[in-house]
Coordinates of all heavy atoms in Angstrom, one line a residue:
M376 N 1.6 14.1 13.9 CA 1.2 12.9 13.4 C 2.5 12.4 12.6 O 3.3 13.1 12.1 CB 0.1 13.1 12.3 CG -0.4 11.8 11.7 SD -1.9 12.0 10.8 CE -1.4 13.1 9.4
N377 N 2.5 11.0 12.6 CA 3.6 10.4 11.9 C 3.4 10.4 10.4 O 2.4 10.0 9.9 CB 3.6 8.9 12.3 CG 5.0 8.5 12.7 OD1 6.0 9.0 12.2 ND2 5.1 7.6 13.6
T378 N 4.3 11.0 9.6 CA 4.1 11.0 8.2 C 5.4 10.4 7.5 O 6.5 10.4 8.1 CB 4.0 12.5 7.7 OG1 5.1 13.2 8.2 CG2 2.7 13.1 8.3
P379 N 5.2 10.0 6.3 CA 6.4 9.4 5.6 C 7.4 10.5 5.3 O 7.0 11.5 4.7 CB 5.8 8.8 4.3 CG 4.3 8.7 4.6 CD 4.0 9.8 5.5
R380 N 8.6 10.2 5.5 CA 9.7 11.2 5.2 C 10.2 10.8 3.8 O 10.7 11.7 3.1 CB 10.8 11.0 6.2 CG 11.9 12.1 6.0 CD 13.1 11.6 6.8 NE 12.9 11.5 8.3 CZ 13.7 10.9 9.1 NH1 14.8 10.3 8.7 NH2 13.4 10.9 10.4
E381 N 10.2 9.5 3.5 CA 10.9 9.1 2.3 C 10.2 7.8 1.9 O 10.0 6.9 2.6 CB 12.3 8.8 2.6 CG 13.2 8.6 1.4 CD 14.6 8.2 1.9 OE1 15.1 8.9 2.8 OE2 15.2 7.3 1.4
I382 N 9.8 7.7 0.6 CA 9.3 6.5 0.0 C 10.1 6.1 -1.1 O 10.4 6.9 -2.0 CB 7.8 6.8 -0.5 CG1 6.9 7.3 0.7 CG2 7.2 5.5 -1.1 CD1 5.6 7.8 0.2
S383 N 10.5 4.8 -1.2 CA 11.3 4.4 -2.2 C 11.0 2.9 -2.6 O 10.3 2.2 -1.8 CB 12.8 4.4 -1.8 OG 13.0 3.7 -0.7
Q384 N 11.4 2.5 -3.7 CA 11.2 1.1 -4.1 C 12.4 0.3 -3.5 O 13.6 0.5 -3.9 CB 11.3 1.0 -5.7 CG 10.8 -0.2 -6.3 CD 9.3 -0.3 -6.5 OE1 8.6 0.7 -6.7 NE2 8.7 -1.5 -6.4
H385 N 12.1 -0.6 -2.7 CA 13.1 -1.4 -2.0 C 13.6 -2.5 -2.9 O 14.8 -2.7 -3.1 CB 12.6 -2.0 -0.7 CG 13.6 -2.8 0.0 ND1 14.7 -2.3 0.6 CD2 13.6 -4.2 0.3 CE1 15.4 -3.2 1.3 NE2 14.8 -4.4 1.0
D386 N 12.7 -3.3 -3.5 CA 13.0 -4.2 -4.6 C 11.7 -4.3 -5.4 O 10.8 -3.5 -5.2 CB 13.5 -5.5 -4.1 CG 12.4 -6.3 -3.3 OD1 11.2 -6.1 -3.5 OD2 12.8 -7.1 -2.4
E387 N 11.7 -5.2 -6.4 CA 10.7 -5.2 -7.4 C 9.3 -5.3 -6.7 O 8.3 -4.8 -7.3 CB 10.9 -6.4 -8.3 CG 10.1 -6.3 -9.6 CD 9.2 -7.4 -9.7 OE1 9.3 -8.6 -9.1 OE2 8.2 -7.3 -10.5
R388 N 9.1 -6.0 -5.6 CA 7.9 -6.2 -5.0 C 7.7 -5.5 -3.6 O 6.7 -5.7 -2.9 CB 7.7 -7.7 -4.8 CG 6.3 -8.2 -4.4 CD 6.2 -9.6 -4.3 NE 5.1 -10.0 -3.4 CZ 4.5 -11.1 -3.3 NH1 4.8 -12.1 -4.2 NH2 3.6 -11.3 -2.4
T389 N 8.7 -4.7 -3.2 CA 8.6 -4.1 -1.9 C 8.9 -2.6 -1.9 O 9.8 -2.1 -2.5 CB 9.7 -4.8 -1.0 OG1 9.7 -6.2 -1.3 CG2 9.6 -4.4 0.4
L390 N 8.0 -1.9 -1.2 CA 8.2 -0.5 -1.0 C 8.8 -0.3 0.4 O 8.5 -1.0 1.3 CB 6.8 0.3 -1.0 CG 6.1 0.4 -2.3 CD1 4.8 1.2 -2.0 CD2 6.9 1.1 -3.3
K391 N 9.6 0.7 0.4 CA 10.2 1.1 1.7 C 9.7 2.5 2.1 O 9.8 3.4 1.3 CB 11.7 1.0 1.6 CG 12.4 1.4 3.0 CD 13.9 1.4 2.7 CE 14.6 1.9 4.0 NZ 16.1 1.9 3.8
I392 N 9.3 2.6 3.3 CA 8.9 3.9 3.8 C 9.7 4.2 5.0 O 9.7 3.4 6.0 CB 7.4 4.1 4.1 CG1 6.5 3.8 2.8 CG2 7.0 5.4 4.7 CD1 5.0 3.9 3.0
V393 N 10.3 5.4 5.0 CA 11.0 5.9 6.2 C 10.0 6.9 6.8 O 9.7 7.9 6.1 CB 12.4 6.5 5.9 CG1 13.0 7.0 7.2 CG2 13.3 5.5 5.2
W394 N 9.6 6.7 8.1 CA 8.7 7.6 8.7 C 9.4 8.7 9.5 O 10.6 8.6 9.8 CB 7.8 6.8 9.7 CG 6.9 5.8 8.9 CD1 7.2 4.6 8.5 CD2 5.6 6.1 8.4 NE1 6.2 4.0 7.9 CE2 5.2 4.9 7.8 CE3 4.7 7.2 8.5 CZ2 3.9 4.8 7.2 CZ3 3.4 7.0 8.0 CH2 3.0 5.9 7.3
N395 N 8.7 9.8 9.7 CA 9.4 10.9 10.3 C 9.8 10.7 11.8 O 10.5 11.5 12.4 CB 8.7 12.2 10.1 CG 7.4 12.3 10.9 OD1 7.0 11.4 11.6 ND2 6.7 13.4 10.7
D396 N 9.4 9.6 12.4 CA 9.9 9.2 13.7 C 11.2 8.3 13.6 O 11.7 7.8 14.6 CB 8.8 8.5 14.5 CG 8.4 7.2 14.0 OD1 8.9 6.8 12.9 OD2 7.6 6.5 14.7
G397 N 11.6 8.1 12.3 CA 12.8 7.3 12.1 C 12.5 5.9 11.8 O 13.5 5.1 11.5
A398 N 11.3 5.4 12.0 CA 11.0 4.0 11.7 C 11.1 3.7 10.2 O 10.6 4.5 9.4 CB 9.6 3.7 12.2
E399 N 11.7 2.6 9.9 CA 11.8 2.1 8.6 C 11.0 0.9 8.4 O 11.1 -0.1 9.1 CB 13.3 1.8 8.2 CG 14.1 3.0 8.2 CD 15.6 2.7 7.7 OE1 15.8 1.6 7.1 OE2 16.5 3.5 7.8
R400 N 10.1 0.9 7.4 CA 9.1 -0.2 7.2 C 9.1 -0.6 5.8 O 9.2 0.2 4.9 CB 7.7 0.2 7.6 CG 7.5 0.6 9.1 CD 7.4 -0.6 9.9 NE 7.0 -0.3 11.3 CZ 7.9 0.1 12.2 NH1 9.2 0.1 12.0 NH2 7.5 0.4 13.4
L401 N 9.1 -2.0 5.6 CA 9.0 -2.5 4.3 C 7.5 -3.0 4.1 O 6.9 -3.5 4.9 CB 10.0 -3.7 4.2 CG 11.4 -3.4 4.3 CD1 12.2 -4.7 4.2 CD2 11.9 -2.4 3.2
Y402 N 7.1 -2.8 2.8 CA 5.7 -3.1 2.5 C 5.7 -4.0 1.3 O 6.1 -3.6 0.2 CB 4.9 -1.8 2.2 CG 4.7 -1.0 3.4 CD1 5.7 -0.1 3.8 CD2 3.6 -1.1 4.2 CE1 5.5 0.7 4.9 CE2 3.5 -0.3 5.4 CZ 4.4 0.6 5.7 OH 4.3 1.4 6.8
D403 N 5.1 -5.1 1.4 CA 4.9 -6.0 0.2 C 3.8 -5.4 -0.6 O 2.6 -5.2 -0.1 CB 4.5 -7.4 0.7 CG 4.2 -8.4 -0.4 OD1 4.3 -8.0 -1.6 OD2 3.7 -9.5 -0.1
V404 N 4.0 -5.0 -1.9 CA 3.0 -4.3 -2.7 C 1.8 -5.2 -2.9 O 0.7 -4.7 -3.0 CB 3.6 -3.8 -4.0 CG1 4.7 -2.8 -3.7 CG2 4.0 -4.9 -4.9
V405 N 1.9 -6.5 -3.0 CA 0.8 -7.4 -3.2 C -0.1 -7.4 -1.9 O -1.3 -7.3 -2.0 CB 1.3 -8.8 -3.5 CG1 0.0 -9.7 -3.7 CG2 2.1 -8.8 -4.8
H406 N 0.6 -7.4 -0.8 CA -0.2 -7.3 0.5 C -0.9 -6.0 0.6 O -2.1 -5.9 1.0 CB 0.8 -7.4 1.6 CG 0.2 -7.3 3.0 ND1 -0.6 -8.3 3.5 CD2 0.2 -6.3 4.0 CE1 -1.0 -7.9 4.7 NE2 -0.6 -6.7 5.0
L407 N -0.3 -4.9 0.1 CA -1.0 -3.6 0.1 C -2.2 -3.6 -0.8 O -3.3 -3.2 -0.4 CB -0.1 -2.5 -0.4 CG 1.0 -2.0 0.5 CD1 1.9 -1.0 -0.1 CD2 0.5 -1.5 1.9
R408 N -2.1 -4.3 -2.0 CA -3.2 -4.3 -2.9 C -4.4 -5.2 -2.3 O -5.5 -4.8 -2.4 CB -2.7 -5.0 -4.2 CG -3.8 -5.2 -5.2 CD -4.5 -3.9 -5.7 NE -5.6 -4.1 -6.6 CZ -6.9 -4.3 -6.1 NH1 -7.1 -4.2 -4.8 NH2 -7.8 -4.5 -6.9
R409 N -4.0 -6.3 -1.6 CA -5.1 -7.1 -1.1 C -5.8 -6.5 0.1 O -6.9 -6.8 0.5 CB -4.4 -8.4 -0.5 CG -4.0 -9.3 -1.7 CD -3.1 -10.5 -1.1 NE -2.7 -11.3 -2.2 CZ -1.8 -12.3 -2.1 NH1 -1.2 -12.4 -1.0 NH2 -1.4 -13.0 -3.1
N410 N -5.1 -5.5 0.7 CA -5.7 -4.8 1.8 C -6.1 -3.4 1.5 O -6.2 -2.5 2.3 CB -4.7 -4.7 3.0 CG -4.5 -6.1 3.7 OD1 -5.3 -6.5 4.5 ND2 -3.5 -6.8 3.2
C411 N -6.4 -3.2 0.2 CA -6.9 -1.9 -0.2 C -8.1 -1.5 0.5 O -9.1 -2.2 0.7 CB -7.3 -2.0 -1.7 SG -8.0 -0.5 -2.3
P412 N -8.0 -0.3 1.1 CA -9.1 0.2 2.1 C -10.3 0.9 1.3 O -11.2 1.3 2.0 CB -8.4 1.2 3.0 CG -7.3 1.7 2.1 CD -6.9 0.6 1.1
C413 N -10.3 0.9 0.0 CA -11.4 1.6 -0.7 C -12.7 0.9 -0.5 O -12.8 -0.2 -0.2 CB -11.0 1.9 -2.1 SG -11.5 0.6 -3.3
A414 N -13.8 1.7 -0.7 CA -15.1 1.2 -0.5 C -15.4 0.0 -1.4 O -16.0 -1.1 -1.0 CB -16.2 2.2 -0.8
A415 N -15.0 0.0 -2.7 CA -15.2 -1.1 -3.6 C -14.6 -2.4 -3.1 O -15.2 -3.4 -3.2 CB -14.7 -0.7 -5.0
C416 N -13.4 -2.3 -2.6 CA -12.7 -3.5 -2.1 C -13.3 -4.0 -0.8 O -13.5 -5.2 -0.6 CB -11.2 -3.2 -1.9 SG -10.4 -3.1 -3.5
A417 N -13.7 -3.1 0.0 CA -14.3 -3.4 1.3 C -15.6 -4.2 1.1 O -16.0 -5.1 1.9 CB -14.6 -2.2 2.2
E418 N -16.3 -3.8 0.0 CA -17.6 -4.5 -0.3 C -17.6 -5.7 -1.2 O -18.6 -6.3 -1.5 CB -18.5 -3.4 -0.9 CG -19.0 -2.4 0.1 CD -19.6 -1.2 -0.6 OE1 -19.9 -1.3 -1.8 OE2 -19.9 -0.2 0.1
Q419 N -16.4 -6.0 -1.6 CA -16.3 -7.1 -2.6 C -16.6 -8.4 -2.0 O -16.5 -8.7 -0.8 CB -15.0 -7.1 -3.3 CG -13.9 -7.7 -2.5 CD -12.5 -7.4 -3.1 OE1 -11.5 -7.7 -2.5 NE2 -12.5 -6.8 -4.3
T420 N -17.1 -9.3 -2.9 CA -17.5 -10.7 -2.5 C -16.2 -11.5 -2.1 O -15.1 -11.2 -2.7 CB -18.2 -11.4 -3.6 OG1 -17.3 -11.5 -4.7 CG2 -19.5 -10.6 -4.0
P421 N -16.4 -12.6 -1.4 CA -15.2 -13.4 -1.1 C -14.6 -14.0 -2.4 O -13.4 -14.0 -2.5 CB -15.8 -14.5 -0.3 CG -17.0 -13.9 0.5 CD -17.5 -12.9 -0.6
A422 N -15.4 -14.3 -3.4 CA -14.9 -14.8 -4.6 C -14.0 -13.8 -5.3 O -12.9 -14.1 -5.8 CB -16.0 -15.2 -5.6
A423 N -14.4 -12.5 -5.3 CA -13.5 -11.5 -5.9 C -12.2 -11.3 -5.1 O -11.2 -11.1 -5.7 CB -14.3 -10.2 -6.0
A424 N -12.4 -11.4 -3.8 CA -11.2 -11.3 -2.9 C -10.2 -12.4 -3.2 O -9.0 -12.2 -3.2 CB -11.6 -11.3 -1.5
D425 N -10.7 -13.6 -3.5 CA -9.9 -14.7 -3.8 C -9.1 -14.5 -5.1 O -7.9 -14.8 -5.2 CB -10.7 -16.0 -4.0 CG -11.0 -16.6 -2.6 OD1 -10.5 -16.2 -1.6 OD2 -11.8 -17.5 -2.6
K426 N -9.8 -13.8 -6.0 CA -9.1 -13.5 -7.3 C -7.9 -12.6 -7.0 O -6.8 -12.8 -7.6 CB -10.1 -12.9 -8.2 CG -9.6 -12.9 -9.7 CD -10.8 -12.5 -10.6 CE -10.2 -12.1 -12.0 NZ -10.8 -11.0 -12.6
I427 N -8.1 -11.6 -6.2 CA -7.0 -10.7 -5.9 C -5.9 -11.5 -5.1 O -4.7 -11.3 -5.4 CB -7.5 -9.6 -5.0 CG1 -8.4 -8.7 -5.8 CG2 -6.3 -8.7 -4.5 CD1 -9.2 -7.6 -5.0
Q428 N -6.3 -12.4 -4.3 CA -5.3 -13.2 -3.5 C -4.3 -13.9 -4.5 O -3.2 -14.1 -4.1 CB -6.0 -14.3 -2.7 CG -6.9 -13.7 -1.6 CD -6.1 -13.2 -0.4 OE1 -5.0 -13.7 -0.1 NE2 -6.6 -12.2 0.3
M429 N -4.8 -14.3 -5.6 CA -4.0 -15.1 -6.5 C -3.1 -14.2 -7.4 O -2.2 -14.7 -8.0 CB -4.9 -15.9 -7.5 CG -5.6 -17.1 -6.7 SD -6.4 -18.2 -7.9 CE -7.9 -17.1 -8.3
D430 N -3.4 -13.0 -7.5 CA -2.6 -12.1 -8.4 C -1.3 -11.6 -7.7 O -1.3 -10.5 -7.1 CB -3.4 -11.0 -8.9 CG -2.7 -10.2 -10.0 OD1 -1.6 -10.6 -10.3 OD2 -3.3 -9.2 -10.5
D431 N -0.3 -12.4 -7.8 CA 1.0 -12.0 -7.2 C 1.8 -11.0 -8.1 O 2.9 -10.6 -7.8 CB 1.8 -13.2 -6.9 CG 1.4 -13.9 -5.7 OD1 0.6 -13.3 -4.9 OD2 1.8 -15.0 -5.5
Q432 N 1.2 -10.8 -9.3 CA 2.0 -10.0 -10.3 C 1.7 -8.5 -10.2 O 2.2 -7.7 -10.9 CB 1.7 -10.5 -11.8 CG 2.0 -11.9 -12.0 CD 3.4 -12.3 -11.6 OE1 4.4 -11.6 -11.9 NE2 3.6 -13.3 -10.8
V433 N 0.7 -8.2 -9.4 CA 0.3 -6.7 -9.3 C 1.4 -5.9 -8.7 O 2.1 -6.3 -7.8 CB -1.1 -6.7 -8.5 CG1 -0.9 -6.9 -7.0 CG2 -1.7 -5.3 -8.7
R434 N 1.5 -4.7 -9.3 CA 2.6 -3.8 -8.9 C 2.0 -2.3 -8.9 O 1.1 -2.1 -9.6 CB 3.7 -3.8 -9.8 CG 4.5 -5.2 -9.9 CD 5.2 -5.5 -8.6 NE 5.9 -6.7 -8.7 CZ 5.4 -7.9 -8.3 NH1 4.2 -8.0 -7.8 NH2 6.1 -9.0 -8.4
P435 N 2.6 -1.5 -8.1 CA 2.1 -0.1 -8.1 C 2.6 0.6 -9.4 O 3.7 0.3 -9.8 CB 2.8 0.6 -6.9 CG 3.5 -0.5 -6.1 CD 3.6 -1.7 -7.0
T436 N 1.7 1.4 -9.9 CA 2.2 2.2 -11.1 C 2.4 3.7 -10.7 O 3.0 4.4 -11.4 CB 1.1 2.2 -12.2 OG1 -0.2 2.6 -11.6 CG2 1.0 0.7 -12.7
E437 N 1.7 4.1 -9.6 CA 1.8 5.5 -9.2 C 1.5 5.6 -7.7 O 0.7 4.9 -7.2 CB 0.7 6.3 -10.0 CG 0.7 7.8 -9.7 CD -0.4 8.5 -10.3 OE1 -1.2 7.9 -11.1 OE2 -0.6 9.7 -9.9
I438 N 2.3 6.4 -7.1 CA 2.1 6.7 -5.7 C 2.2 8.2 -5.4 O 3.2 8.8 -5.9 CB 3.2 6.0 -4.8 CG1 3.2 4.5 -5.0 CG2 3.0 6.3 -3.3 CD1 4.4 3.8 -4.4
R439 N 1.1 8.7 -4.9 CA 1.1 10.2 -4.7 C 0.5 10.6 -3.4 O -0.4 9.8 -2.9 CB 0.6 10.9 -5.9 CG -0.8 10.7 -6.1 CD -1.2 11.4 -7.4 NE -2.5 11.1 -7.9 CZ -3.6 11.7 -7.4 NH1 -3.6 12.6 -6.5 NH2 -4.8 11.3 -7.9
S440 N 0.8 11.7 -2.8 CA 0.2 12.1 -1.6 C -1.2 12.6 -1.8 O -1.5 13.2 -2.8 CB 1.0 13.3 -1.0 OG 2.4 12.9 -0.9
V441 N -2.1 12.3 -0.8 CA -3.4 12.8 -0.8 C -3.5 13.7 0.5 O -3.4 13.2 1.6 CB -4.4 11.7 -0.7 CG1 -5.8 12.3 -0.7 CG2 -4.3 10.8 -2.0
G442 N -3.5 15.0 0.3 CA -3.5 15.9 1.4 C -2.4 15.6 2.3 O -1.3 15.4 1.8
R443 N -2.6 15.7 3.6 CA -1.5 15.5 4.5 C -1.7 14.2 5.3 O -1.0 14.1 6.4 CB -1.4 16.7 5.5 CG -1.0 18.0 4.9 CD -1.1 19.1 5.8 NE -0.4 20.3 5.3 CZ 0.8 20.6 5.5 NH1 1.5 19.8 6.2 NH2 1.3 21.7 5.0
Y444 N -2.6 13.4 4.9 CA -2.9 12.2 5.7 C -2.7 10.9 5.0 O -2.9 9.8 5.7 CB -4.3 12.4 6.3 CG -5.4 12.2 5.2 CD1 -6.0 11.0 5.1 CD2 -5.7 13.2 4.4 CE1 -7.0 10.8 4.1 CE2 -6.7 13.1 3.4 CZ -7.3 11.8 3.3 OH -8.3 11.7 2.3
A445 N -2.6 10.8 3.7 CA -2.6 9.5 3.0 C -1.8 9.5 1.8 O -1.4 10.5 1.2 CB -4.1 9.2 2.7
L446 N -1.7 8.3 1.3 CA -1.1 8.0 -0.1 C -2.1 7.4 -1.0 O -2.8 6.5 -0.5 CB 0.1 7.1 0.0 CG 1.3 7.6 0.8 CD1 2.4 6.5 0.8 CD2 1.9 8.9 0.2
L447 N -2.2 7.8 -2.2 CA -3.0 7.1 -3.2 C -2.1 6.2 -4.0 O -1.0 6.6 -4.4 CB -3.7 8.0 -4.2 CG -4.7 7.4 -5.1 CD1 -5.8 8.3 -5.4 CD2 -3.9 7.0 -6.4
I448 N -2.4 4.9 -4.0 CA -1.5 4.0 -4.7 C -2.3 3.4 -5.9 O -3.4 2.8 -5.7 CB -1.0 2.9 -3.8 CG1 -0.3 3.4 -2.6 CG2 -0.1 1.9 -4.6 CD1 0.2 2.4 -1.6
A449 N -1.9 3.6 -7.1 CA -2.5 3.0 -8.3 C -1.7 1.7 -8.7 O -0.5 1.7 -8.5 CB -2.4 4.0 -9.5
F450 N -2.4 0.7 -9.2 CA -1.8 -0.6 -9.4 C -1.9 -1.0 -10.9 O -2.8 -0.5 -11.6 CB -2.5 -1.6 -8.5 CG -2.2 -1.5 -7.1 CD1 -3.0 -0.8 -6.2 CD2 -1.0 -2.1 -6.6 CE1 -2.7 -0.7 -4.9 CE2 -0.7 -2.0 -5.2 CZ -1.5 -1.2 -4.3
T451 N -1.0 -1.9 -11.3 CA -1.0 -2.4 -12.6 C -2.3 -3.1 -13.1 O -2.6 -3.3 -14.2 CB 0.1 -3.3 -12.9 OG1 0.1 -4.4 -11.8 CG2 1.5 -2.6 -12.8
D452 N -3.2 -3.5 -12.1 CA -4.4 -4.1 -12.5 C -5.5 -3.1 -12.8 O -6.7 -3.4 -13.0 CB -4.9 -5.1 -11.4 CG -5.2 -4.4 -10.1 OD1 -5.0 -3.2 -9.9 OD2 -5.7 -5.1 -9.1
G453 N -5.1 -1.8 -12.8 CA -6.0 -0.8 -13.2 C -6.8 -0.2 -12.0 O -7.5 0.8 -12.1
H454 N -6.5 -0.7 -10.8 CA -7.1 -0.2 -9.6 C -6.4 1.0 -9.1 O -5.3 1.0 -8.9 CB -7.2 -1.3 -8.5 CG -8.1 -1.1 -7.4 ND1 -9.5 -1.0 -7.6 CD2 -8.0 -0.7 -6.2 CE1 -10.1 -0.8 -6.5 NE2 -9.2 -0.6 -5.5
R455 N -7.2 2.2 -9.0 CA -6.5 3.4 -8.5 C -7.4 4.2 -7.6 O -7.4 5.4 -7.6 CB -6.1 4.2 -9.7 CG -7.2 4.4 -10.8 CD -6.6 5.2 -12.0 NE -5.9 6.4 -11.6 CZ -4.6 6.6 -11.8 NH1 -3.9 5.7 -12.4 NH2 -4.1 7.7 -11.4
T456 N -8.2 3.5 -6.8 CA -9.1 4.2 -5.8 C -8.6 4.0 -4.4 O -9.3 4.3 -3.4 CB -10.5 3.9 -6.0 OG1 -10.7 2.4 -6.0 CG2 -11.1 4.4 -7.3
G457 N -7.5 3.3 -4.2 CA -7.0 3.0 -2.9 C -6.3 4.1 -2.3 O -5.2 4.5 -2.7
I458 N -6.9 4.6 -1.2 CA -6.3 5.7 -0.4 C -5.9 5.1 0.9 O -6.7 4.8 1.7 CB -7.2 7.0 -0.4 CG1 -7.4 7.6 -1.8 CG2 -6.6 8.0 0.6 CD1 -8.4 8.7 -1.8
Y459 N -4.6 5.0 1.1 CA -4.0 4.5 2.3 C -3.6 5.6 3.3 O -2.6 6.3 3.0 CB -2.8 3.6 1.9 CG -3.1 2.4 1.0 CD1 -3.3 2.6 -0.3 CD2 -3.1 1.1 1.5 CE1 -3.6 1.5 -1.2 CE2 -3.4 0.1 0.7 CZ -3.7 0.3 -0.6 OH -3.9 -0.8 -1.5
S460 N -4.4 5.7 4.3 CA -4.1 6.7 5.3 C -2.8 6.3 5.9 O -2.4 5.1 6.0 CB -5.1 6.9 6.3 OG -5.2 5.8 7.1
F461 N -2.0 7.2 6.5 CA -0.8 6.9 7.2 C -1.0 6.0 8.3 O -0.2 5.1 8.6 CB -0.1 8.2 7.6 CG 0.3 9.2 6.5 CD1 0.4 10.5 6.8 CD2 0.5 8.6 5.3 CE1 0.7 11.4 5.7 CE2 0.9 9.5 4.2 CZ 0.9 10.9 4.5
E462 N -2.1 6.2 9.0 CA -2.5 5.3 10.1 C -2.7 3.8 9.6 O -2.1 2.9 10.2 CB -3.8 5.8 10.7 CG -4.1 5.1 12.0 CD -5.5 5.5 12.6 OE1 -6.0 6.5 12.0 OE2 -5.9 4.9 13.5
T463 N -3.3 3.6 8.4 CA -3.5 2.3 7.9 C -2.2 1.8 7.5 O -1.9 0.6 7.8 CB -4.4 2.4 6.6 OG1 -5.7 2.9 7.0 CG2 -4.5 1.1 5.9
L464 N -1.3 2.6 6.9 CA 0.0 2.0 6.5 C 0.8 1.6 7.7 O 1.5 0.6 7.6 CB 0.8 3.2 5.7 CG 0.2 3.4 4.3 CD1 0.9 4.7 3.7 CD2 0.6 2.2 3.4
R465 N 0.7 2.3 8.8 CA 1.5 1.9 10.0 C 0.9 0.5 10.4 O 1.7 -0.3 10.8 CB 1.4 2.9 11.1 CG 2.1 4.2 10.9 CD 3.6 4.0 10.6 NE 4.3 3.6 11.8 CZ 5.3 4.3 12.5 NH1 5.7 5.4 11.9 NH2 5.9 3.8 13.5
K466 N -0.4 0.3 10.3 CA -0.9 -1.0 10.8 C -0.6 -2.1 9.8 O -0.5 -3.3 10.2 CB -2.4 -0.8 10.8 CG -2.9 -0.1 12.1 CD -4.5 -0.1 12.1 CE -5.0 0.9 13.1 NZ -6.3 1.4 12.7
L467 N -0.4 -1.8 8.5 CA -0.1 -2.8 7.5 C 1.3 -3.2 7.5 O 1.7 -4.2 6.9 CB -0.5 -2.3 6.2 CG -2.0 -2.3 5.8 CD1 -2.2 -1.6 4.5 CD2 -2.5 -3.7 5.8
S468 N 2.2 -2.5 8.2 CA 3.6 -2.8 8.2 C 3.9 -4.0 9.1 O 3.1 -4.4 9.8 CB 4.4 -1.6 8.5 OG 4.2 -1.3 9.9
G469 N 5.1 -4.4 8.9 CA 5.6 -5.5 9.8 C 5.1 -6.9 9.4 O 5.2 -7.8 10.1
K470 N 4.6 -7.0 8.2 CA 4.2 -8.2 7.7 C 5.2 -9.0 7.0 O 4.9 -10.2 6.5 CB 2.9 -8.0 6.7 CG 1.8 -7.3 7.4 CD 1.0 -8.2 8.2 CE -0.3 -7.5 8.7 NZ -1.1 -8.3 9.6
L471 N 6.3 -8.5 6.8 CA 7.4 -9.2 6.1 C 8.3 -10.0 7.0 O 8.5 -9.5 8.1 CB 8.2 -8.3 5.2 CG 7.4 -7.6 4.1 CD1 8.4 -6.6 3.4 CD2 6.9 -8.6 3.1
Ligands
LIG1181 ZN1 -9.8 -0.9 -3.6

């Protein structure tokens, strides 16, 4: 399976992940927050989703591995239930 080899802060709003197949991907942290895959976000109303859409100031506060398949990313808005599987992350890349 493709796993992150290296995760770094590319700039204030961008994470960089180097995957073990050598692919380098940049991730807009606001885009990651808006696409949070947790159950609470998946079930939220369109109005709540719009509120997230407007918050361009959100930033990660913590990134850690969850088992061998995902990263948990905590954000400055207090949200810390987003578990991004590596598969999800690969799909979310390439948006910049
Ligand atoms: Zn969420």
